[in-house]
């Protein structure tokens, strides 16, 4: 219901619009998540748009449209930044340190599903023995993260559950664990897992 549609003539115009919306959302904590549907771009421009990672936004995309979910506040990004070092410590304690090149954190790397693609808030994918790690494109069987984290600040619990179903259904079961964090900051502060 709160999705703004924007017909972009080129990549530069799309980037300017995203920047304006992000600035408005960041300046007003009372704004809930803003959805911006961008259409009119060529496939090459969509790919370039998705390559630029933006703090506070995630994208769902098809071959001819990109839906940006632009989130307010710092709680969302702070939780995601907290995850990586703590997950790395937990994996090290389980005798599976990142230095063994058996897994890599993927951040908001895009995955392409049957009808559209999606970026997780954070994720982990295994590295098969013999591959050189995260700097090379992974083989087809490794493209899906095995662990996905989705964080919702103004996103509803039902919307987070839809995200979880998307990862499970589109990965063909390659995504084994989906953690959902629902952040409530009124009244008080709470995180529902």
């Amino acid at each position: 219901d709160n999705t703004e549609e924007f017909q972009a003539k080129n990549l530069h115009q799309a980037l300017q619009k995203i920047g304006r919306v992000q600035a408005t959302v960041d300046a007003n904590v009372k704004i809930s998540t803003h959805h911006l549907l961008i259409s009119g771009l060529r496939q090459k421009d969509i790919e370039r748009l998705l390559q630029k990672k933006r703090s506070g936004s995630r994208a769902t995309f098809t071959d001819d449209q990109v839906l940006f979910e632009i989130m307010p506040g710092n709680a969302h990004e702070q939780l995601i930044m907290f995850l990586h070092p703590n997950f790395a410590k937990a994996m090290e304690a389980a005798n599976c340190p990142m230095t063994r090149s058996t897994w890599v954190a993927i951040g908001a790397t895009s995955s392409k599903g049957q009808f559209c693609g999606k970026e997780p808030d954070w994720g982990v994918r295994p590295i098969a023995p013999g591959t050189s790690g995260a700097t090379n494109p992974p083989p087809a069987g490794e493209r899906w993260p095995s662990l996905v984290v989705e964080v919702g600040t103004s996103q509803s619990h039902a919307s987070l559950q839809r995200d979880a179903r998307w990862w499970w259904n589109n990965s063909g079961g390659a995504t084994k664990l989906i953690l959902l964090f629902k952040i409530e900051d009124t009244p008080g502060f709470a995180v529902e897992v």
Side-chain angles (χ1 to χ4, degrees):
D1 289 344
N2 63 346
T3 302
E4 177 185 352
E5 295 185 37
F6 181 69
Q7 186 75 23
K9 293 182 175 124
N10 54 50
L11 180 60
H12 179 71
Q13 195 179 48
L15 290 170
Q16 284 183 322
K17 179 65 174 180
I18 293 166
R20 284 193 303 270
V21 170
Q22 186 73 61
T24 301
V25 169
D26 289 344
N28 187 347
V29 295
K30 294 184 180 190
I31 295 177
S32 65
T33 299
H34 188 97
H35 292 88
L36 178 62
L37 180 64
I38 298 175
S39 53
L41 293 176
R42 299 173 305 180
Q43 178 63 35
K44 181 174 75 171
D45 287 338
I46 289 175
E47 289 170 11
R48 289 180 22 215
L49 186 63
L50 293 171
Q51 287 173 353
K52 295 181 183 248
K53 299 301 173 205
R54 288 168 189 78
S55 177
S57 70
R58 296 297 176 265
T60 302
F61 57 93
T62 64
D63 289 337
D64 60 350
Q65 292 182 318
V66 181
L67 177 65
F68 278 101
E69 180 180 6
I70 301 171
M71 295 153 275
N74 292 326
H76 182 270
E77 294 302 315
Q78 287 173 347
L79 180 59
I80 293 165
M81 289 181 352
F82 172 81
L83 280 173
H84 181 79
N86 288 290
F87 183 82
K89 285 179 192 174
M91 291 298 283
E92 191 168 319
N95 199 26
C96 192
M98 193 174 189
T99 55
R100 281 198 195 152
S101 296
T102 55
W103 64 275
V104 64
I106 61 163
T109 302
S110 300
S111 295
K112 184 88 165 117
Q114 184 177 3
F115 300 108
C116 66
K118 195 162 179 46
E119 296 175 337
D121 288 323
W122 192 77
V124 171
R125 78 169 161 76
I127 299 173
T131 61
S132 58
T135 56
N136 294 334
E142 292 181 46
R143 290 194 182 126
W144 289 96
S146 55
L147 165 68
V148 163
V149 175
E150 292 285 355
V151 178
T153 48
S154 57
Q155 187 176 7
S156 70
H157 186 73
S159 175
L160 283 169
Q161 288 176 322
R162 278 192 301 274
D163 287 346
R165 282 191 299 276
W166 187 94
W167 285 104
W168 179 258
N169 293 332
N170 282 278
S171 73
T175 299
K176 307 283 185 206
L177 179 63
I178 302 127
L179 297 175
L180 306 176
F181 292 86
K182 175 70 175 118
I183 300 173
E184 296 286 348
D185 55 1
T186 55
F189 182 82
V191 179
E192 178 186 334
V193 181

